[in-house]
């Protein structure tokens, strides 16, 4: 039977295990996809630990890890239009991504452009789409200054590139170890820690026009006071803290149009997913540990053979 990497209960890495599961059967409006690549994200280990994203259904255990995939359609369910067996697609799976097969709902699936690799496409449905939604939510004019808290991770790297393409000046907070990487993106690097707000002021003497937070907690609170307009403070990491500070969470669109938009940016060379490391499915645990440790640069991807 097809192999998948699962967690059997909520908790730490000790709850993870490989399992042989029946091949999923697509229902109405669903695609059965042979997975070629799966993106690895912090939300993967957070869901294993028991976190439930707003609006998400509780997982039925054991649950397959992973929330973004790219692969090839094996079978289309009843009522599906616009997709057929053999199509290369990517999107947000219903039945997890760290697996040989998964189900994609057609509303959260898009065709993969030929110019975009499976590994790159697998990074788009969560990280790049979240970045795209947030930057567009802020509605900043060309020339405005955007501060990204946590710019060195998957969402931050994509947000920086999308913002730069919109002619925004970007300042990014990331560890000293990521300084060169951040500056390659055309971003002004600021190191986190005590007095970080002063370092941002020095980098942006005319102030910042918006903050896109990807860390939350004290890191968000430390810089929120730099903004005069809290409506320009958004987060993809900490709804409670941003609400207390007068800002708002990123409004996720979660539709095919956004997936197609970010794929076009990759195909056009505007957005580089920065897949910095890949792991075979057999090493899914190592891939997730790399992200869970919090030191990954760019995106980590699991590649599935076959």
């Amino acid at each position: 039977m097809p192999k998948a990497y699962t967690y059997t209960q909520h908790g730490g890495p000790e709850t993870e295990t490989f399992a042989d599961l029946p091949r999923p059967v697509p229902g109405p409006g669903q695609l059965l996809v042979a997975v070629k690549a799966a993106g690895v994200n912090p939300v993967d280990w957070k869901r294993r630990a028991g976190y439930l994203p707003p609006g998400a259904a509780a997982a039925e255990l054991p649950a397959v890890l992973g929330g973004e995939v790219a692969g090839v359609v094996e079978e289309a369910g009843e009522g599906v239009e616009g997709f057929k067996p053999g199509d290369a697609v990517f999107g947000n799976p219903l039945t997890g991504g760290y697996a040989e097969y998964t189900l994609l709902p057609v509303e959260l699936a898009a065709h993969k452009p030929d110019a975009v690799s499976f590994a790159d496409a697998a990074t788009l449905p969560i990280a790049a789409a979240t970045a795209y939604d947030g930057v567009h939510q802020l509605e900043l004019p060309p020339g405005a200054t955007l501060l990204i808290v946590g710019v060195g991770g998957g969402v931050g790297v994509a947000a920086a590139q999308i913002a730069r393409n919109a002619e925004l000046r970007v300042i990014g907070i990331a560890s000293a170890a990521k300084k060169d990487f951040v500056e390659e993106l055309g971003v002004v690097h600021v190191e986190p820690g005590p007095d970080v707000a002063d370092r941002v002021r020095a980098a942006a003497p005319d102030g910042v026009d918006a903050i896109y937070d990807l860390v939350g907690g004290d890191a968000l609170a430390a810089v929120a006071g730099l903004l005069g307009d809290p409506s320009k403070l958004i987060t993809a990491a900490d709804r409670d803290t941003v609400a207390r500070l007068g800002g708002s969470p990123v409004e996720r669109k979660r539709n095919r149009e956004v997936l197609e938009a970010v794929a076009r940016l990759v195909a056009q060379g505007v957005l580089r997913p920065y897949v910095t490391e890949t792991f075979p499915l057999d090493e899914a645990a190592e891939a997730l540990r790399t992200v869970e440790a919090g030191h990954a640069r760019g995106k980590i991807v699991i590649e599935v053979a076959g």
Side-chain angles (χ1 to χ4, degrees), residues 158-233:
Q161 294 176 83
I162 292 167
R164 294 277 294 152
N165 187 57
E167 300 180 18
L168 303 181
R169 180 172 187 255
V170 181
I171 298 172
I173 297 175
S175 67
K178 295 182 179 181
K179 182 177 186 294
D180 291 344
F181 176 59
V182 168
E183 290 179 343
E184 286 178 14
L185 302 171
V187 173
V188 178
H189 174 264
V190 171
E191 193 170 339
D195 303 319
V196 63
D198 291 338
R199 290 190 290 278
V200 173
R201 289 189 186 98
D206 294 328
V208 299
D209 299 296
I211 296 175
Y212 191 167
D213 167 64
L214 302 166
V215 178
D218 292 342
L220 168 56
V223 296
L226 294 168
L227 270 183
D229 180 3
S231 72
K232 296 300 183 183
L233 172 64

Side-chain angles (χ1 to χ4, degrees), residues 3 26 70 113 127 132 209 220 231 247 253 255 266 286 291 298:
K3 182 166 61 176
Y132 183 93
D209 299 296
L220 168 56
S231 72
K253 302 300 183 185
N255 58 37
V266 176
E286 289 83 351
V291 171

Side-chain angles (χ1 to χ4, degrees), residues 18 33 35 45 47 49 67 91 103 130 146 168 174 183 186 199 205 211 227 235 238 268 270 275 278:
F18 281 100
V33 172
V35 178
W45 68 261
R47 292 207 70 167
L103 295 177
T130 300
L146 172 64
L168 303 181
E183 290 179 343
R199 290 190 290 278
I211 296 175
L227 270 183
T235 184
D238 189 341
Q268 294 164 358
V270 169
V275 175
T278 62

Side-chain angles (χ1 to χ4, degrees), residues 98-190:
Y98 300 9
E100 293 178 319
Y101 291 92
T102 194
L103 295 177
L104 278 182
V106 290
E107 66 271 16
L108 293 178
H111 289 94
K112 181 187 75 66
D114 291 341
V116 179
S117 70
F118 283 107
D120 283 351
T123 71
L124 304 180
I126 291 180
T130 300
Y132 183 93
D133 287 339
V135 172
H136 283 79
Q137 179 179 338
L138 289 169
E139 296 183 326
L140 295 175
T145 298
L146 172 64
L147 173 64
I148 300 177
V149 183
V151 74
V155 180
V157 168
Q161 294 176 83
I162 292 167
R164 294 277 294 152
N165 187 57
E167 300 180 18
L168 303 181
R169 180 172 187 255
V170 181
I171 298 172
I173 297 175
S175 67
K178 295 182 179 181
K179 182 177 186 294
D180 291 344
F181 176 59
V182 168
E183 290 179 343
E184 286 178 14
L185 302 171
V187 173
V188 178
H189 174 264
V190 171

